[in-house]
Amino acid sequence: MFLTHPLIKPDTVELRKYQEAIIATSANKNTIVVLPTGLGKTLIAVIVAAHRLYKFSNSKVLFLAPTKPLAVQHAATFRQILNLRADEISIFTSATPTNKREELWKNSRVILATPQTIDNEIMKKLNLEDVSFIVFDEAHKAVGNYAYGFIAGEYMKKAKEPLIMGLSASPSSDIKKISEISKNLFIQAVEIRTENDADVKPYIMKVEEEWVKVELPEKFKGIRDNIAYLLKFYLKQLKDMNYIDTINLTNINKKDLLGIQERIRNDILRGNGNFDAASLVAKIIKLHYGLELIETQGIWTLYKYLERMNLQKGKGVKELFSDESMKKICENVKILYDTKTDHPKLDAILKILKEEIGSSEDVKNKKILLFTQYRDTAEKIYEILTNNNLKCEKFIGQASRDNDKGMTQKEQVAALERFKNNEFNVLIATSVAEEGLDIPKVDVVIFYEPIPSGIRTIQRRGRTGRMFEGKVIILMAKNTRDEGYYWSSISKERKMKKYLTKFQASGKNGIEKEMQKEQAQQSILFYSNNNSNSNSNNNSNSNSNSNSNSNSNSNSNSNPNNNSNNKEDENYNKDNIINKDETNKDETNKGETNKGETNKDGNKLITIYVDVRERNTEIFKILNEKANVVVKQLEVGDYILSENVCVERKTAGDFLQSIIDRRLLDQAGNLARNFEIPLMLIEGEINFSARGIHPNAIRGAIASLATDFKICIIPTKNEEETAEMLIAIAKREQEEKKKHVALIGEKRAYTINERQLLMVESLPNVSVVLAENLLRYFKTVKKIANAGVKVLMKVEGIGLKKAEEIFKVTHSEYKKEK
C-alpha cells in the first residue's frame, strides 16, 4: 500500500514496517538511524522531511552530504519523491556561485549541501532559524573538527523548531566516538537494525563471503624479515629514550607511532625535546609502512613508495637510506621489481575475475567492484587487467601527487556513469568509493586486502547485495597482518552493534555506563600489565581471541527471505505513522542547547565572540557548552569578552614564530589601539632556547608587549585551562562589571603617528623603541630616509651595522627580480 501525503507524489513510496517504526521515532526526536546499506535510509529522511515541511509550512529542510556527487545524488531522490517545484529543491555546494547563494537559500524549501559550504555560509550570517529539519548523511563523520559538529551546534542555537537526523551504515566501534557523535549531533534516540532483525530479514539479499588465501613467497618473507630487523633496531633506540616500553611489532601500530611523534614534537616546542628522537620516529614510521606494503600489497607498490621516499630531503630519510641494511633491502626490492615478480594476490585476482566474468551468462552486464587501499596498487591492477583484455577503469581521489594526477569530481561522475551503463566490467577503486556510491547492481565486491576499520569494511561490503544477491571475496596473505586486520574489523563491527543496541535500549545513560565499565576494565588491564610486564601473554591472548573469532563468520545474510511482496495490513493507516506519540513529544531538543542566551536552568549565559580560525579547537567545544558562543571573522584578536576586553591567543610555538616573522608587534598594535583592555594569552611553556632565537629577543618581545603596548600577558597550560580562563574573564566583565559585548566591525583607522611608526618599524632590525627614537631625532620619515650612515648612528640604539642596513634599504635603486 502506497503512502499518501500532500507533499509526496502519488504512487512513489511504499514503506516497510521497519521504516515506519524508524520514522515514528525520528519525527519527534533527534535520531541517528543505523541501517545496512541499501535498506532505505535516505527514503526515511525524505518522509520525515515531508512531514516537517507540511507541519511548518514556511520552513526549510537542510540535507548535508560529505561530497558534491552525494549531494547531487540525494537531490535526485528528493525530486523524485517530493511534490515540490523544481526550483524549491536546490543543490548548495562550492560550485554554487557566491552571488546567487542568498537568493537560492531564500527561495528553496529543500537544500542539499556539502558541510563545508554551509560552514562557510554560517560565517556570513546564513539564517538557520527557519530550518525545521536537518539531516547529516554519513553521520560517523561528526567527530573531531569535522564541520558537522559546528553546524549542529549553531542549528540547535538558532532554529525555532529544530530536529536532527543522522544517517550511517556504520557509526563506530569505539564507544567514545559513538558518545562524541551523539553529543555533537544532540542525539536523543537511536534506531538501529541489523541483518538479523526480524523486520529487516525479508529485505536482506544473500551475500556470499569467500576468503582467498595466498602464501607469501620466500623472497618476500626475506625482505619482510630484513625490514622488521631494522625496525626493531630503531625501536630499541626509541625505547632507550623512554618513548615506548616494547619493541614487539605485534604491539605497535601506526596510531601509536603517530601519537609518539606528536608527543616528541610537543616536547621539542616546550624545550624538553630530543631532535634525534624526532628523526628516529620518522624512520620508524616509514619502515612500519614498508612492512605493511611488502606483506599486503606487493613489490610494485613498495618499490614506488621507496622511490618517492628516497627523493625526500628530511634528516631522518637521509640517515635511513644511508644505512647499509636499508641499502640491502632496496637492492632486493629492485631485483624483484626488475624481474616483474610481484604479490601472488595479483595472480589470484586475475584468476577470480576470469572465472567470475567468464562464468556469467550476461558478461556485458556483470559488475565487479575491486577495492584496494593504495593508488599504486590500483595502477598495477589496472595494468595487469588491461593487458589481459579485461574491461576496467580506475576510480581514485582528487588529490594529485608527483606525476600521479587525481580524478576531478566530473571525471569520477563520468566513470560511474560508464560503469552503470555496462561500458566496462571492473571498477578498481580506492577508499573514495567506499561511501555513498549510487550503483544499483554490483555482483561482486573484492577486497585486495582486509582493513582494520569496522566502518570501512561495512561500507565496502555494502556495495553489493543491495537489490540482488551478491558476493564478497577477501584476499589474504597467510600469517601476515592481513589476517589480523580482518579479525580486527569483525570485532569492531560487533562492538559497534553492541554499543548502539545499548544506546537504543537505555539511551545516553546506557552508553555512559558502558563507557565507565570499559574504562574500568582498561584501568585494570593497565595496572596488571604494568605490574606483570606480560606483553607476550597479552599477545598470545589476542591471538587466541582471533582464532575463536575465526568460526564466527556467521554469514548473517545466508538466510534470505524474499517475501518482500507480502501485503501490509490493509487497515494500517500509514498517514498516522509520523504523528505517532506526537502528543508525548520529547521537548528536550531545546533544553540541551544554548538556545537564546540561557542554559537549561534558565540562567543567563555570557556571550563570547570567537574568531572563525579558533573554531576547530578544544577551547571552542568547552566554550560552546558554557557560553553563548558567536563565531565571526574577527578583525582584531581571537576572542572578544566584552566591549573593553579582547584576547589574542597564541600557543608557545606560535608566539615564537610570530617574533620571527614579525607578526607579533603588528597584532599587538591592533589590540592596543582598538580595546581598552588588550590581553595576550600564551598557551604552553615558552622554550627560550628554541628556533635559534636569542633568549634576549624573546624577553624583549615580552617586555615590549607589557611596556610599549600595555598588554597583559596571561600564561595557561593547555586548551582546557585557556577556555576556563576566558570564561572567568568574560563572567567578570559581563556579570560583575555589567559590561556589554561589542563586536568591532573593522579595525580602527591608523593615526598619522601610528602610520609613521609602522613605516619606520619596517626598516631592518628596527623595533618599536628604535622607531620612536628615530622619529624623535629626525622628526619626519623623509629625513630618516635621506640620512647618511654617520647621521643615523647619532640616534640612541643605532650602531654601525644597523645604520648601514637602513642606508642600504633607503638608498638602493629598486630592481625587479626575474
Side-chain angles (χ1 to χ4, degrees):
M1 186 174 174
F2 286 103
L3 175 65
T4 57
H5 189 284
L7 288 180
I8 295 174
K9 293 177 182 178
D11 303 331
T12 56
V13 175
E14 191 171 9
L15 292 175
R16 300 164 178 174
K17 289 285 188 183
Y18 67 86
Q19 291 174 323
E20 294 170 2
I22 293 170
I23 289 167
T25 300
S26 53
N28 302 313
K29 294 181 178 179
N30 292 345
T31 306
I32 186 164
V33 178
V34 182
L35 275 176
T37 303
L39 290 184
K41 292 187 292 293
T42 307
L43 176 59
I44 290 168
V46 173
I47 302 306
V48 176
H51 169 58
R52 298 294 284 184
L53 290 171
Y54 184 71
K55 184 177 180 181
F56 305 104
S57 56
N58 294 319
S59 71
K60 302 177 187 297
V61 165
L62 177 60
F63 191 112
L64 296 171
T67 64
K68 180 184 172 184
L70 271 176
V72 172
Q73 175 182 311
H74 291 310
T77 304
F78 272 83
R79 288 181 177 131
Q80 180 185 344
I81 297 172
L82 291 189
N83 196 12
L84 295 174
R85 297 192 314 272
D87 62 340
E88 290 182 301
I89 301 175
S90 301
I91 298 170
F92 215 74
T93 69
S94 58
T96 307
T98 52
N99 60 345
K100 293 184 179 179
R101 291 182 182 183
E102 187 175 348
E103 184 182 357
L104 194 68
W105 180 269
K106 183 180 177 182
N107 297 331
S108 301
R109 297 206 66 194
V110 177
I111 300 101
L112 294 299
T114 51
Q116 294 78 13
T117 309
I118 296 301
D119 188 328
N120 292 335
E121 291 303 312
I122 287 174
M123 300 301 104
K124 301 173 186 175
K125 300 183 180 179
L126 180 74
N127 184 13
L128 296 174
E129 188 177 277
D130 295 325
V131 176
S132 63
F133 183 45
I134 186 167
V135 182
F136 294 90
D137 192 25
E138 309 294 355
H140 53 269
K141 291 183 177 290
V143 293
N145 296 329
Y146 195 73
Y148 275 0
F150 169 68
I151 294 169
E154 291 298 298
Y155 173 66
M156 292 300 288
K157 284 182 192 177
K158 296 173 182 177
K160 288 184 287 190
E161 297 291 342
L163 184 69
I164 288 174
M165 178 183 284
L167 303 178
S168 180
S170 47
S172 179
S173 59
D174 184 336
I175 194 166
K176 289 181 182 177
K177 283 190 177 179
I178 292 174
S179 179
E180 185 181 358
I181 292 164
S182 67
K183 183 178 179 181
N184 287 347
L185 297 185
F186 303 87
I187 296 301
Q188 299 161 314
V190 171
E191 283 289 345
I192 178 174
R193 299 291 188 281
T194 70
E195 297 88 344
N196 296 319
D197 286 317
D199 55 353
V200 168
K201 266 188 178 182
Y203 308 101
I204 294 291
M205 297 296 108
K206 180 181 177 181
V207 176
E208 177 189 347
E209 186 170 299
E210 178 185 338
W211 307 341
V212 175
K213 294 192 175 186
V214 298
E215 191 73 49
L216 203 65
E218 289 302 320
K219 289 182 179 179
F220 278 54
K221 291 178 182 177
I223 293 172
R224 177 191 65 183
D225 294 345
N226 288 336
I227 294 175
Y229 178 83
L230 186 57
L231 185 54
K232 286 183 178 180
F233 172 75
Y234 289 132
L235 284 168
K236 174 68 168 60
Q237 295 178 44
L238 199 63
K239 183 182 177 185
D240 292 342
M241 296 177 182
N242 295 318
Y243 280 107
I244 55 173
D245 56 11
T246 179
I247 63 170
N248 189 332
L249 296 182
T250 57
N251 292 337
I252 296 173
N253 58 39
K254 184 179 178 181
K255 185 178 178 181
D256 297 331
L257 293 173
L258 291 174
I260 293 166
Q261 188 177 50
E262 185 64 25
R263 179 182 155 198
I264 292 169
R265 284 174 181 164
N266 290 335
D267 285 348
I268 289 171
L269 280 175
R270 288 192 292 267
N272 308 319
N274 186 327
F275 286 95
D276 289 337
S279 177
L280 192 59
V281 78
K283 288 186 276 191
I284 289 169
I285 289 171
K286 286 172 171 44
L287 284 170
H288 191 271
Y289 188 67
L291 198 60
E292 177 175 339
L293 295 184
I294 188 64
E295 283 194 341
T296 70
Q297 302 300 307
I299 292 297
W300 167 279
T301 306
L302 178 58
Y303 178 81
K304 292 293 180 183
Y305 171 64
L306 294 174
E307 196 175 45
R308 282 193 300 272
M309 186 167 51
N310 200 15
L311 295 174
Q312 295 176 8
K313 298 178 180 179
K315 178 186 174 185
V317 172
K318 287 183 179 178
E319 288 179 354
L320 179 60
F321 278 89
S322 64
D323 189 297
E324 290 302 319
S325 297
M326 188 63 187
K327 286 179 181 178
K328 187 66 177 174
I329 290 167
C330 291
E331 285 174 15
N332 291 335
V333 170
K334 180 74 162 60
I335 291 167
L336 294 180
Y337 176 79
D338 288 340
T339 56
K340 300 189 184 299
T341 305
D342 219 316
H343 208 292
K345 285 183 184 180
L346 293 167
D347 290 332
I349 279 179
L350 194 57
K351 183 181 176 183
I352 291 166
L353 291 176
K354 285 182 176 180
E355 287 176 357
E356 290 294 334
I357 296 172
S359 64
S360 174
E361 294 178 5
D362 186 6
V363 174
K364 184 181 177 183
N365 295 325
K366 186 86 170 186
K367 289 191 180 74
I368 297 173
L369 183 52
L370 198 163
F371 280 109
T372 178
Q373 284 269 76
Y374 301 101
R375 217 184 260 188
D376 286 333
T377 305
E379 180 64 40
K380 185 63 178 176
I381 294 170
Y382 175 77
E383 177 191 308
I384 289 173
L385 299 193
T386 304
N387 289 342
N388 282 270
N389 300 316
L390 289 168
K391 293 181 179 179
C392 62
E393 284 193 25
K394 290 181 295 180
F395 189 85
I396 60 176
Q398 297 178 51
S400 295
R401 179 190 64 193
D402 301 326
N403 296 323
D404 183 9
K405 190 179 178 183
M407 293 176 73
T408 64
Q409 282 189 344
K410 188 175 180 180
E411 289 171 332
Q412 289 173 344
V413 170
L416 289 182
E417 282 301 311
R418 289 193 294 274
F419 192 41
K420 283 190 214 177
N421 295 333
N422 304 312
E423 293 181 32
F424 59 93
N425 298 106
V426 185
L427 187 66
I428 306 161
T430 55
S431 58
V432 70
E434 288 172 354
E435 289 182 348
L437 265 185
D438 181 25
I439 303 173
K441 179 181 179 289
V442 172
D443 302 283
V444 183
V445 170
I446 300 175
F447 290 33
Y448 182 82
E449 69 286 286
I451 45 177
S453 165
I455 292 175
R456 292 178 59 201
T457 298
I458 292 169
Q459 288 170 335
R460 283 187 178 190
R461 199 171 57 223
R463 298 302 106 201
T464 189
R466 304 181 79 170
M467 296 171 65
F468 305 92
E469 293 184 2
K471 186 176 185 179
V472 173
I473 300 174
I474 303 171
L475 277 72
M476 295 185 204
K478 294 178 187 176
N479 301 315
T480 68
R481 65 194 61 219
D482 269 348
E483 293 186 338
Y485 285 170
Y486 175 77
W487 294 117
S488 173
S489 70
I490 294 294
S491 172
K492 288 175 180 176
E493 187 175 346
R494 285 178 178 160
K495 278 186 178 180
M496 180 198 76
K497 290 175 180 176
K498 171 190 168 186
Y499 294 146
L500 288 171
T501 303
K502 178 78 72 173
F503 196 162
Q504 185 174 22
S506 310
K508 288 183 180 178
N509 291 337
I511 280 290
E512 286 169 5
K513 285 178 182 177
E514 201 67 36
M515 282 180 67
Q516 290 168 4
K517 188 198 299 182
E518 190 164 290
Q519 286 167 357
Q521 288 172 345
Q522 287 174 351
S523 298
I524 292 167
L525 285 171
F526 178 77
Y527 179 80
S528 62
N529 286 347
N530 277 349
N531 283 279
S532 64
N533 292 319
S534 55
N535 282 330
S536 59
N537 292 334
N538 291 339
N539 189 35
S540 63
N541 289 339
S542 65
N543 289 336
S544 64
N545 289 337
S546 294
N547 292 334
S548 66
N549 286 337
S550 64
N551 296 319
S552 63
N553 181 27
S554 57
N555 290 325
S556 55
N557 300 331
S558 62
N559 297 315
N561 185 345
N562 294 321
N563 295 328
S564 58
N565 293 322
N566 287 349
K567 288 187 176 180
E568 305 289 350
D569 183 350
E570 296 293 338
N571 297 320
Y572 191 84
N573 185 358
K574 294 185 178 65
D575 290 346
N576 292 329
I577 60 172
I578 47 183
N579 296 316
K580 188 177 179 182
D581 297 329
E582 187 121 29
T583 54
N584 298 320
K585 181 177 178 181
D586 190 333
E587 292 295 339
T588 58
N589 277 11
K590 298 178 187 178
E592 292 184 0
T593 73
N594 295 335
K595 189 153 180 82
E597 292 188 7
T598 60
N599 61 14
K600 61 184 176 183
D601 300 318
N603 298 322
K604 189 173 181 181
L605 289 164
I606 54 172
T607 296
I608 297 177
Y609 283 102
V610 179
D611 184 67
V612 63
R613 291 164 296 184
E614 292 288 298
R615 198 189 67 233
N616 294 331
T617 61
E618 189 65 28
I619 299 167
F620 177 83
K621 291 181 182 178
I622 297 170
L623 293 181
N624 213 23
E625 290 177 1
K626 300 184 178 182
N628 178 41
V629 174
V630 181
V631 180
K632 296 286 182 183
Q633 191 161 346
L634 300 182
E635 291 286 335
V636 179
D638 296 315
Y639 300 91
I640 296 176
L641 308 181
S642 76
E643 60 189 352
N644 292 338
V645 178
C646 182
V647 177
E648 177 77 30
R649 169 197 169 241
K650 289 189 178 296
T651 62
D654 183 44
F655 179 76
L656 297 177
Q657 187 59 42
S658 66
I659 295 173
I660 295 170
D661 58 27
R662 306 191 70 167
R663 282 182 292 121
L664 183 65
L665 298 183
D666 186 42
Q667 290 169 332
N670 285 331
L671 270 178
R673 284 187 301 105
N674 287 284
F675 287 89
E676 187 178 322
I677 305 174
L679 305 176
M680 185 166 290
L681 197 149
I682 301 177
E683 196 175 280
E685 187 178 342
I686 296 174
N687 178 8
F688 279 78
S689 60
R691 303 203 181 193
I693 309 175
H694 195 283
N696 286 342
I698 300 172
R699 295 186 187 102
I702 295 171
S704 178
L705 290 173
T707 58
D708 298 331
F709 296 102
K710 307 296 187 290
I711 293 176
C712 178
I713 300 167
I714 302 174
T716 61
K717 292 179 182 177
N718 49 41
E719 291 192 4
E720 184 178 353
E721 190 172 298
T722 295
E724 296 300 336
M725 179 62 72
L726 292 170
I727 290 166
I729 297 169
K731 281 185 175 180
R732 183 173 176 80
E733 285 291 298
Q734 296 176 36
E735 294 178 357
E736 295 179 27
K737 296 184 179 181
K738 307 298 181 185
K739 297 289 183 182
H740 297 293
V741 184
L743 179 66
I744 292 184
E746 296 179 356
K747 290 185 280 189
R748 180 171 63 78
Y750 287 102
T751 64
I752 290 177
N753 282 4
E754 287 168 343
R755 290 187 183 280
Q756 288 171 327
L757 278 167
L758 283 172
M759 289 178 70
V760 179
E761 281 177 50
S762 69
L763 293 171
N765 299 313
V766 173
S767 65
V768 177
V769 175
L770 283 180
E772 286 188 349
N773 290 347
L774 284 162
L775 283 166
R776 285 198 193 101
Y777 186 89
F778 288 104
K779 306 300 182 186
T780 68
V781 176
K782 180 180 178 180
K783 289 181 179 177
I784 296 172
N786 289 333
V789 173
K790 289 184 179 179
V791 180
L792 287 167
M793 288 174 65
K794 293 180 180 180
V795 177
E796 183 183 352
I798 304 291
L800 176 61
K801 188 175 180 181
K802 285 184 181 176
E804 287 176 343
E805 288 178 346
I806 293 170
F807 182 82
K808 185 177 180 181
V809 168
T810 56
H811 287 72
S812 296
E813 185 178 330
Y814 173 74
K815 293 179 181 178
K816 187 176 180 181
E817 294 182 359
K818 295 181 180 179

